[in-house]
Amino acid sequence: MQKAMHELAEMDELAMRSSPIHELHPLAKLITTIIYILITLSYDKYNLSGLVPMLLWPILLFTISGIEVRICFYKLRIVLPLVMAVGLFNPFFDRAIMLRIGPLAVSGGVFSMLTLMIKGLYCLMASFLLMATTPIDSLCAALRQLHVPKILVTLLLLTYRYVGVMTEELAVMTDAYLLRAPGQKGIHISAWGSFLGQLLLRSMDRAQELYAAMLLRGYNQQFHYAEARPFRIRDALYLLGCILFFLLLRTVKVAQLLGGMLVR
Amino acid sequence: MIEFQHVSFGYEKNRQVLRDLSFRIERGEAVGLVGPNGAGKSSVMKLLLGLLEGEGQILVDGLPVRRDTLPEIRRKLGFVLQSSDNQMFMPTVYEDMIFAPLNYKLSREEAEARVDEVLARLGLEELKHRYNHKISGGEKRMAAIATILAMKPEAILMDEPSSALDPYNRRVIINTICTLPQTKLIASHDLDMILDTCERVILLSEGHIIADGPAEKLLQDRALLEANRLELPLSLVGRTPRNAAE
Ligand SMILES: Nc1ncnc2c1ncn2[C@@H]1O[C@H](COP(=O)(O)OP(=O)(O)OP(=O)(O)O)[C@@H](O)[C@H]1O
Ligand SMILES: [Mg+2]
């Protein structure tokens, strides 16, 4: 349980490391991530080979930022299967044969399923990399710079904190329960109702007090405390470079090019 | 500086927590707020900060506590919450400390200097870049007090500042409180600390003021204290702590 308690705090910790990626302007990172996601989603649902090279960008980011791929998959272990499951039924609907490899016939449904899964994986990885290299407050500041309404940004920030508080409360309550229920694995089903109710009430109370603590120290939905750094040439170069890179991957059929080179 | 005029308050309709409370605290005064569990000490502080709303009038620096005056009033008051877990919301101690100064439009250099000054004063330099979820309860309490001192408020409200502290840190806090020139309102069950830090004590019980007077006089009144589930401060018992239990 101790583990679960620190999941979000650990994201903060990752975000506070230092690397060339961490030092980039949050706005540059936010925009590139959004563009990456949009471009990834824009691929045709059968264009599996086109999507593969898009993996290059997350790999580059993992390498440069020093964030371990292992951590990424560990953090995403709950969402990832859900997102992947979306494409699971495609093979049943779309049975037209697209490709034959010897005796094996691959239907369009299989292609679109794989494409969807890969898209989901890429988008999650990109979001994770953004969160793991940018503190939540800087991210909020960047969103404000993009003129996302204050109320939405505050909502995002508070949700982030609320989820943190809730996992913490859950950890404390589970420990308290198990200490008084020796030999029991997990929480007995008869206690689930009151447990859940308590969890919500307690985390709401705590979130309220946390928000009060923010107000008492002058929080006015502006992010002075997220380092107001200038947007430097380096940031602009990164942004431009990434966009060009994405467009290149999107328009040039890298896979075919490579394939062609090999055959020749 | 702080004035309560006939303030009543209840969390639920027919259960009053504070009843017709009136008192005045002058600028620069250090006042201890004592009373048994559930007496309403924390509620008094939350009313003062506008976190709760009751009947009657509360004035801070002549300004009534109302929705439209809240930002100005909260600027003047620094509040150390009873639970430090809820006080610290940024990833690291440093970020938490710099939060308020930056909100109050200090430049980053000024804010940083202030943070360092407070940390040095409390001997907490080592905590500066630690993560809030990776420090002990007592360290977190010290850090919470530090975040409030970094705000440089005109008055400081503390709810149980000495709980969770080891004797050394408790002493550091007492000494720090004594050197602070601000108006102070301190709620605590640690009567020895109140005696060391406050010249005046307000004794609260079941939402009433039972007594209000000089700390030295009030905290020696064994009958009064014991009638309100409190005990003489050890330093006034005149015996060593071991014998005091007899
Ligand atoms: N959120 C709440 N809802 C309902 N009643 C509450 C709430 N918070 C406190 N109370 C009640 O109000 C009364 C005063 O509480 P308060 O927290 O002010 O006491 P306190 O003097 O600070 O006590 P302690 O010494 O235990 O901190 C108590 O009887 C308590 O049960
Ligand atoms: Mg209290």
Side-chain angles (χ1 to χ4, degrees):
Chain A
M1 237 23 237
Q2 203 61 19
K3 267 248 169 65
M5 184 158 164
H6 294 324
E7 292 260 328
L8 277 180
E10 270 168 20
M11 284 305 285
D12 286 332
E13 238 173 284
L14 288 179
M16 310 267 295
R17 287 191 190 175
S18 69
S19 82
I21 302 290
H22 285 80
E23 267 133 50
L24 287 168
H25 197 283
L27 198 54
K29 283 185 277 186
L30 179 64
I31 297 176
T32 38
T33 306
I34 294 173
I35 294 178
Y36 176 81
I37 289 177
L38 288 180
I39 290 188
T40 302
L41 293 178
S42 77
Y43 275 88
D44 183 81
K45 67 174 176 175
Y46 297 125
N47 193 352
L48 190 57
S49 58
L51 260 175
V52 175
M54 287 299 278
L55 184 60
L56 274 175
W57 189 63
I59 290 179
L60 273 178
L61 284 192
F62 275 119
T63 317
I64 302 175
S65 66
I67 306 275
E68 293 84 350
V69 181
R70 178 176 51 80
I71 300 185
C72 171
F73 282 99
Y74 181 72
K75 295 281 177 205
L76 294 181
R77 71 193 179 282
I78 295 168
V79 235
L80 199 56
L82 292 180
V83 173
M84 296 286 221
V86 174
L88 224 50
F89 292 103
N90 279 17
F92 299 104
F93 300 126
D94 187 351
R95 291 166 177 275
I97 307 299
M98 291 264 304
L99 182 74
R100 283 182 191 281
I101 308 170
L104 209 69
V106 185
S107 71
V110 172
F111 265 100
S112 59
M113 173 185 77
L114 289 176
T115 316
L116 255 173
M117 284 180 168
I118 289 183
K119 282 183 181 176
L121 175 67
Y122 286 5
C123 293
L124 284 177
M125 279 204 296
S127 319
F128 168 83
L129 278 164
L130 177 66
M131 301 288 285
T133 55
T134 322
I136 183 76
D137 304 289
S138 312
L139 209 56
C140 287
L143 285 170
R144 283 294 295 139
Q145 282 176 311
L146 286 181
H147 297 282
V148 175
K150 264 185 194 177
I151 180 91
L152 287 182
V153 176
T154 303
L155 210 61
L156 172 73
L157 184 68
L158 291 182
T159 311
Y160 188 80
R161 297 246 158 85
Y162 182 72
V163 171
V165 165
M166 202 144 101
T167 51
E168 242 175 70
E169 283 299 323
L170 180 65
V172 171
M173 282 176 64
T174 314
D175 284 348
Y177 178 94
L178 291 180
L179 283 176
R180 280 181 291 160
Q184 209 172 303
K185 272 218 175 81
I187 290 149
H188 194 264
I189 194 156
S190 64
W192 281 14
S194 55
F195 201 83
L196 202 66
Q198 271 298 310
L199 176 65
L200 286 179
L201 283 178
R202 284 173 60 151
S203 31
M204 256 158 67
D205 265 1
R206 279 201 54 194
Q208 228 167 38
E209 219 173 279
L210 267 174
Y211 188 54
M214 290 171 68
L215 288 179
L216 291 180
R217 281 191 270 150
Y219 175 67
N220 48 7
Q221 307 189 326
Q222 276 168 357
F223 297 89
H224 309 285
Y225 47 91
E227 223 153 324
R229 2 177 164 170
F231 199 86
R232 286 163 306 192
I233 295 181
R234 189 154 51 130
D235 305 314
L237 283 180
Y238 173 78
L239 182 58
L240 272 177
C242 283
I243 294 176
L244 283 179
F245 185 54
F246 298 156
L247 288 179
L248 194 76
L249 293 180
R250 182 75 181 87
T251 47
V252 182
K253 296 197 165 55
V254 180
Q256 284 184 9
L257 223 67
L258 281 178
M261 267 154 64
L262 287 181
V263 169
R264 229 174 269 161
Chain B
M1 167 108 205
I2 293 168
E3 188 167 359
F4 273 59
Q5 296 171 346
H6 306 289
V7 175
S8 297
F9 169 77
Y11 288 93
E12 288 137 34
K13 270 254 149 40
N14 34 29
R15 235 189 102 242
Q16 293 248 297
V17 170
L18 300 176
R19 299 191 190 99
D20 195 28
L21 211 63
S22 297
F23 64 87
R24 228 184 116 85
I25 298 175
E26 303 302 330
R27 185 173 280 273
E29 231 180 340
V31 179
L33 194 57
V34 304
N37 288 134
K41 303 180 295 293
S42 302
S43 307
V44 164
M45 301 207 163
K46 289 183 180 165
L47 280 164
L48 189 53
L49 291 156
L51 294 175
L52 300 173
E53 261 177 76
E55 290 148 40
Q57 173 116 297
I58 302 173
L59 300 172
V60 175
D61 242 358
L63 225 62
V65 177
R66 277 199 321 251
R67 194 169 282 267
D68 55 315
T69 55
L70 280 186
E72 205 173 331
I73 282 175
R74 288 172 176 176
R75 171 81 189 83
K76 294 173 190 285
L77 305 176
F79 180 37
V80 179
L81 271 68
Q82 189 159 6
S83 145
S84 320
D85 275 334
N86 297 348
Q87 176 116 44
M88 312 290 282
F89 46 78
M90 300 292 279
T92 67
V93 173
Y94 163 74
E95 284 171 285
D96 236 303
M97 288 184 69
I98 207 159
F99 181 83
L102 290 184
N103 276 333
Y104 291 125
K105 307 275 186 295
L106 256 67
S107 76
R108 192 157 269 273
E109 293 77 53
E110 286 172 295
E112 191 126 2
R114 199 184 266 193
V115 166
D116 285 334
E117 178 210 314
V118 172
L119 284 173
R121 166 126 60 110
L122 298 178
L124 297 177
E125 293 95 336
E126 193 265 324
L127 280 187
K128 183 170 175 184
H129 292 295
R130 296 278 294 279
Y131 291 98
N132 278 328
H133 65 281
K134 286 192 174 168
I135 57 181
S136 79
E139 287 169 333
K140 202 180 274 187
R141 169 53 49 127
M142 291 296 279
I145 293 171
T147 57
I148 297 308
L149 294 184
M151 245 176 101
K152 294 236 166 112
E154 289 174 37
I156 297 183
L157 315 176
M158 294 184 162
D159 202 345
E160 290 289 353
S162 64
S163 67
L165 295 185
D166 64 26
Y168 177 82
N169 273 336
R170 176 175 168 276
R171 193 45 65 186
V172 171
I173 288 302
I174 291 177
N175 292 340
T176 312
I177 292 175
C178 288
T179 59
L180 294 172
Q182 287 104 327
T183 312
K184 285 160 276 189
L185 181 61
I186 303 172
S188 184
H189 300 293
D190 180 351
L191 298 190
D192 279 286
M193 182 197 64
I194 297 286
L195 188 65
D196 284 346
T197 53
C198 301
E199 62 247 26
R200 175 176 158 203
V201 168
I202 295 177
L203 173 58
L204 211 61
S205 183
E206 294 177 16
H208 292 291
I209 294 184
I210 304 284
D212 180 351
E216 257 150 59
K217 182 158 150 283
L218 233 149
L219 295 180
Q220 281 193 35
D221 190 339
R222 181 192 288 258
L224 175 72
L225 292 178
E226 283 176 3
N228 290 290
R229 321 213 323 190
L230 299 169
E231 280 180 357
L232 280 183
L234 290 176
S235 56
L236 292 184
V237 174
R239 286 187 266 176
T240 62
R242 186 181 297 278
N243 298 334
E246 297 171 356

